Amino acid sequence: MNLATDTSSAIAARLRSAGCVYAEDEVRLLVSQAGTPADLAAMFDRRVAGLPLEHVLGWAEFCGMRIAVAPGVFVPRPHTEFLVRQAAALAPPRAVVLDLCCGSGALGVALAAALDGPELHAADVDPAAVRCARRNVAALGHVYEGDLYEPLPAQLRGRVDVLLANAPYVPTGSIDLMPREARDHEPLVALDGGADGLDVLRRVAAGAPLWLAPGGHLLVETSERQAQHAVETVAAHGLIPWVARSDEMHAAAVVARRPDTVRADVR
Ligand SMILES: C[S@@+](CC[C@H](N)C(=O)[O-])C[C@H]1O[C@@H](n2cnc3c(N)ncnc32)[C@H](O)[C@@H]1O
């Protein structure tokens, strides 16, 4: 195959036979991104070898924005836009936003773009994700590296109006059922939520009352199967939870409000 002379439809046919379902769209994106035929050939080869399209392009579209995604960093999923929409509807003016388990930083960046004068903080444990998030967040806010709340500045305690956490929630036993692209090219730390998928969420929920402002909200993505268990987990820490769903976007989220006072024993 010669990418300099082949037609788009021939290139698309080759991508389709490599398993790319939206081959025509992908060709359009690859051609528009490639500076030279050599670039295009290199990108095509990476895609045929199974690299996610977003890693080949170097960006993912999320909430109508281009978010940089580096190899080895979780690709933000379209259904996660639902979490951002829920958060935008709950955020007060000049909201303090915390994007925990931020990956590329897509959620925080998209939410900040929808708000008036937000203060954005984001954190992730994976250095590759933190580097990528720093590119996306840039002057919009601060990105910290470390385990959940551990790297955050103490002055954020009790001030967070919106705490977004798209933490890993795939049960360990289901990782093998995930699409190959995810298993091979996204790190386990971004996917594996432990035996029932809720290990990280349990720790996020335990810390949330300390960091949320009174009346602030925690929003976490969940699967339909885990939703009830996730609600109970969050409620056990004194928050007032409910489940938000979108059939159209195939998305579910647990949203929880911090009441004005939280019992000392659950903080
Ligand atoms: C499912 S990905 C979501 C990334 C991003 N929020 C998004 O939706 O595109 C989960 C992210 O959580 C991070 N993570 C996993 N365990 C963590 C921990 N203990 N502390 C901080 N981040 C963690 C991973 O590195 C990964 O970037």
Side-chain angles (χ1 to χ4, degrees):
M1 158 161 265
N2 182 346
L3 291 174
T5 55
D6 277 342
T7 61
S8 293
S9 57
I11 302 173
R14 177 78 195 283
L15 282 178
R16 199 172 307 103
S17 65
C20 305
V21 178
Y22 302 106
E24 279 79 11
D25 294 340
E26 294 201 9
V27 171
R28 220 169 299 122
L29 285 166
L30 293 173
V31 168
S32 69
Q33 179 88 9
T36 64
D39 279 352
L40 180 60
M43 292 169 89
F44 175 85
D45 287 346
R46 288 204 295 276
R47 183 64 184 127
V48 167
L51 206 68
L53 176 68
E54 293 81 358
H55 287 156
V56 176
L57 294 170
W59 54 269
E61 187 178 325
F62 188 76
C63 293
M65 305 174 79
R66 278 193 182 190
I67 303 291
V69 274
V73 176
F74 185 85
V75 175
R77 308 296 203 256
H79 63 252
T80 303
E81 294 183 5
F82 179 66
L83 203 66
V84 175
R85 287 190 200 171
Q86 297 294 307
L90 292 166
R94 290 200 294 284
V96 176
V97 174
L98 171 59
D99 181 2
L100 211 55
C101 299
C102 68
S104 64
L107 278 62
V109 169
L111 180 59
L115 301 181
D116 186 17
E119 176 183 325
L120 174 62
H121 301 265
D124 201 286
V125 74
D126 179 358
V130 169
R131 275 195 301 278
C132 186
R134 286 192 173 133
R135 284 172 62 196
N136 288 311
V137 169
L140 281 176
H142 306 273
V143 184
Y144 313 92
E145 180 180 325
D147 181 31
L148 296 186
Y149 303 96
E150 178 272 325
L152 301 175
Q155 54 89 9
L156 255 190
R157 286 189 192 148
R159 288 187 58 234
V160 176
D161 297 304
V162 178
L163 200 175
L164 291 163
N166 187 20
Y169 61 86
V170 181
T172 305
S174 301
I175 298 280
D176 280 351
L177 307 175
M178 294 190 75
R180 201 179 178 94
E181 277 185 20
R183 280 184 284 130
D184 288 355
H185 298 285
E186 292 178 323
L188 202 55
V189 68
L191 307 174
D192 191 345
D196 65 355
L198 297 175
D199 279 2
V200 186
L201 171 64
R202 274 188 277 276
R203 297 176 55 225
V204 169
L210 180 65
W211 296 87
L212 283 172
H217 290 87
L218 167 69
L219 298 101
V220 295
E221 188 169 286
T222 183
S223 70
E224 192 56 52
R225 210 155 49 91
Q226 292 164 326
Q228 187 51 36
H229 199 159
V231 158
E232 288 159 18
T233 301
V234 166
H237 294 284
L239 303 178
I240 303 165
W242 65 94
V243 180
R245 295 184 170 86
S246 166
D247 292 340
E248 187 195 341
M249 297 178 78
H250 307 290
V254 173
V255 185
R257 193 174 74 83
R258 201 207 109 157
D260 288 346
T261 54
V262 180
R263 294 192 334 261
D265 60 316
V266 295
R267 293 190 66 179

